Amino acid sequence: MNLRLARTIAEARAEVAAARTRGLSIAVVPTMGALHTGHAALIERACAESGFVVVTLFVNPLQFNDAGDYSNYPHNLQADLDLCEERGVDVVFAPSVDEMYPRATRTHVDVDTVTEPMEGRFRPGHFRGVATVVAKLFHIVQPDRAYFGEKDAQQLAVIRRMVDDLNFSIKLVEVPTVRETSGLAMSSRNQRLSEAERQWAVALYKALEEARRVIESGEASAAVVKARAAEVLAEYPQVSAEYLEIVDPDDMHPIETITGPVRIACAILVGKTRLIDNVRATPHPG
Ligand code: PAJ
């Protein structure tokens, strides 16, 4: 069947209910639109694994701590619909802000601890907005599976914790980060980079790769690893780092001594554009 566009919660629910009566398993891929190859990887995986796929397109005002970032967020509904149709998506749910928030919400989902470092420190309120909208989308679609990118590892850790703590009966599927050949992770915000900025932005991946290399060659001190990564970033004076942390892959808290698998996460500013990325690293035994 062809792609259908649901603008209201009632339409989305009716689509899912009809799919359920046909015995199909339901997948959701939550997005903010401006879809790129990274989103496409989530969508393709969902289509391969589920009978009925709903992609949500909603730029959620609750999760933007910067009004300029919200008003400048790229939109391209027709291109997004085309990408979804080509991949075999069943329904795109693209509600208006009024549909999702007909009045100021008095109920929020606050996940503590996991939300505190990194993005939580630099974007106050961001994860509260993310967890709240994702909980709403989960209640609207009631999927069996939900697809998220490793690109936003802390977001995924927050949602994983919410799903566990609040007993959502949903399997979360983590999809590896899709990158350009330069290593730059695909992101809707890359559209805002000038040609020169795009070249400088590779500093982010280069620093993460250096940190991974140092960890895998046996360095256990997070301070030493971070200093090496900082040297790479310093080669790109046009870029400023907000944080570069080596964290526990589950609770996302910075660690000092690396004894097992970790995640290295970094946020930079290139001009006015803020970019985040992360990689895993595992020290080799012995
Ligand atoms: P958005 O930034 O549009 O991302 C939607 C999903 O695509 C997220 O799970 C994100 O991790 C994933 N993604 C983005 N770039 C990727 C890449 N290069 N490779 C693999 N996956 C990638 O994240 C959000 O929207 C919002 O916070 C949302 C969860 C929809 C709640 O509003």
Side-chain angles (χ1 to χ4, degrees), residues 29-39 41-42 56 58-60 63 73 126 129-131 133-134 137 147-153 155-156 159 175-179 184-189:
V29 185
T31 81
M32 297 199 297
L35 301 181
H36 50 66
T37 321
H39 296 115
L42 275 63
T56 72
F58 180 61
V59 184
N60 171 37
Q63 72 185 73
Y73 202 83
H126 168 65
V130 169
V133 81
V134 171
L137 294 169
Y147 292 78
F148 291 91
E150 198 180 338
K151 156 86 166 40
D152 300 281
Q155 168 171 280
L156 185 49
I159 292 165
V175 178
T177 303
V178 179
R179 302 178 179 284
L184 178 66
M186 303 272 181
S187 164
S188 306
R189 291 187 174 85

Side-chain angles (χ1 to χ4, degrees), residues 202-203 205-208 210-211 227-236:
V202 297
Y205 185 63
K206 290 224 161 104
L208 293 172
E210 175 64 5
R228 293 290 287 277
E231 284 172 24
V232 174
L233 287 169
E235 290 167 24
Y236 296 81

Side-chain angles (χ1 to χ4, degrees), residues 1-6 8-22 24 26 52 54 90-92:
M1 251 203 282
N2 285 342
L3 176 73
R4 288 173 312 282
L5 173 62
T8 66
I9 294 168
E11 283 162 5
R13 284 195 197 281
E15 288 283 358
V16 173
R20 281 254 179 249
T21 60
R22 289 162 57 211
L24 300 175
I26 314 291
F52 192 83
V54 180
D90 296 278
V91 171
V92 164

